[in-house]
Amino acid sequence: MLAGTPDERTPMRTSQLEYFIAVADTLSFTKAAERCHVAQPAISQQIQALEKELGFALFSRSTKGVELTAAGRQYYRDVADVLDALRRADQHAAAIAHGQAGSISIGVASSGQLSTFRVIDRFRSAYPEISINLRRALSRIQEEQLRSGAYDVAPAPPCAFTDQEGLAFAHASREPLSIIMSEAHPLATKSDLTVSDLLPYPHIVADAPGDELARATYPHLADHPEVTLLRAEDQGIAWMMMTLGLGIEAVPASVIASLDREYIAREVRGYRASLEIGWAHLAHNENPALEKFLDFIDDQHL
């Protein structure tokens, strides 16, 4: 029995391989038909078609029953592996399609907020099959990073983006800001601080495009343009500058609990500022793992 040329062959179907495995397991066309829930003649026809396609016999048939040929035994081992791989591929693809597997890239500052890492850790525990990749988010080019696909999502204030078209900010909430400084800063021990006390000292802010973020962080800049602004590439550098006593910084109140001892928070009379922060992502990002991540945040009320 000779196989036809590639152009003459009938495409092999997965069902033929399933039927072959069933016959090989049971060594009976009748039992294989029962197992596959098809008529016995259909099994016989499909096995014959498969053997014709291959160009060699898979079974030796006699009045005593059915036996695998030497070629059939090897084919059985290989086909069983192939079918297992196909089933795993189906399951893996389905898991990714439903956000149960796959991967998600999250942008974080080099010295990210503790609350951000807590969210990531809880999500990792809930969905261990989803791979999480952390990428460094830089304030000045965060919009560019998102649009280029450097990461799927990152916590960020909308006002840090000059062009929000095509972007979405999930679960955005407004959080009050607090003034922090190093323990060695001249204002660290001064009682009853006011906004006027802050003016002589540099104000540290993330280096975002435009001035919206700086104005939202320090509202008094509108009346005091003479104040020196120190722009940091990201939050980690901003904290380092503040630790060295180079200036004061305003951070969300939720960050205060995670500060090192070198940082202290001060109440400042007349300072009233808040910042809206959400999970920034491309509105058309169709990564199922991202959708699962955002749903998780919503379900957990994080």
Side-chain angles (χ1 to χ4, degrees), residues 177-181 185 187-188 190-199 201 203 217-220 248-250 264-273:
L177 301 179
S178 297
I179 297 294
I180 61 173
M181 61 193 69
H185 194 279
L187 296 180
K190 188 178 187 306
S191 60
D192 193 25
L193 285 181
T194 67
V195 170
S196 296
D197 294 319
L198 304 180
L199 301 181
Y201 299 96
H203 292 28
T217 305
Y218 304 110
H220 50 273
I248 62 169
E249 186 182 5
I264 62 172
R266 293 298 312 273
E267 289 188 12
V268 179
R269 188 155 44 89
Y271 176 76
R272 298 286 185 273

Side-chain angles (χ1 to χ4, degrees), residues 18-36 38-41 43-44 47 59-62 64-68:
E18 297 280 6
Y19 295 158
F20 164 70
I21 292 294
V23 176
D25 284 343
T26 61
L27 294 179
S28 167
F29 284 90
T30 301
K31 291 180 180 178
E34 293 174 354
R35 172 169 152 177
C36 297
V38 296
Q40 188 271 331
I43 290 280
S44 298
I47 295 299
F59 297 98
S60 60
R61 302 158 176 85
S62 69
K64 295 181 179 180
V66 178
E67 294 289 340
L68 281 165

Side-chain angles (χ1 to χ4, degrees), residues 36-291:
C36 297
H37 305 290
V38 296
Q40 188 271 331
I43 290 280
S44 298
Q45 291 170 5
Q46 289 299 317
I47 295 299
Q48 289 173 1
L50 179 58
E51 290 177 321
K52 182 178 180 181
E53 163 71 14
L54 294 171
F56 54 82
L58 296 170
F59 297 98
S60 60
R61 302 158 176 85
S62 69
T63 56
K64 295 181 179 180
V66 178
E67 294 289 340
L68 281 165
T69 63
R73 286 192 292 272
Q74 181 59 53
Y75 195 65
Y76 174 84
R77 288 190 288 268
D78 292 339
V79 166
D81 290 341
V82 168
L83 291 178
D84 284 343
L86 285 174
R87 280 189 284 269
R88 288 195 300 272
D90 290 345
Q91 293 167 357
H92 192 201
I96 290 176
H98 293 92
Q100 302 296 329
S103 65
I104 181 174
S105 295
I106 302 175
V108 295
S110 60
S111 182
Q113 295 183 25
L114 183 60
S115 58
T116 297
F117 291 110
R118 283 174 176 164
V119 170
I120 294 172
D121 185 57
R122 291 176 189 173
F123 180 74
R124 180 190 58 80
S125 298
Y127 297 95
E129 298 302 318
I130 295 180
S131 174
I132 299 176
N133 304 303
L134 299 184
R135 300 283 186 263
R136 186 182 180 191
L138 301 177
S139 301
R140 172 157 286 279
I141 61 171
Q142 195 161 20
E143 180 181 327
E144 177 184 334
Q145 288 178 314
L146 273 174
R147 295 190 187 280
S148 67
Y151 42 78
D152 293 299
V153 65
C159 65
F161 296 81
T162 56
D163 180 9
Q164 297 184 18
E165 184 176 356
L167 299 179
F169 296 86
H171 312 292
S173 61
R174 186 165 291 278
E175 190 169 359
L177 301 179
S178 297
I179 297 294
I180 61 173
M181 61 193 69
S182 72
E183 292 182 338
H185 194 279
L187 296 180
T189 56
K190 188 178 187 306
S191 60
D192 193 25
L193 285 181
T194 67
V195 170
S196 296
D197 294 319
L198 304 180
L199 301 181
Y201 299 96
H203 292 28
I204 301 170
V205 67
D207 188 17
D211 295 321
E212 287 298 321
L213 180 59
R215 287 198 292 264
T217 305
Y218 304 110
H220 50 273
L221 292 180
D223 298 323
H224 299 279
E226 74 280 4
V227 171
T228 299
L229 273 181
L230 296 181
R231 297 181 180 272
E233 184 179 55
D234 72 356
Q235 188 62 55
I237 294 177
W239 285 11
M240 184 180 299
M241 294 167 67
M242 184 266 298
T243 303
L244 294 173
L246 300 182
I248 62 169
E249 186 182 5
V251 299
S254 61
V255 175
I256 302 299
S258 62
L259 294 180
D260 293 339
R261 296 176 182 175
E262 297 173 340
Y263 311 150
I264 62 172
R266 293 298 312 273
E267 289 188 12
V268 179
R269 188 155 44 89
Y271 176 76
R272 298 286 185 273
S274 62
L275 202 59
E276 184 182 27
I277 299 176
W279 288 91
H281 62 92
L282 291 179
H284 63 267
N285 188 325
E286 297 181 354
N287 181 358
L290 170 62
E291 183 178 354

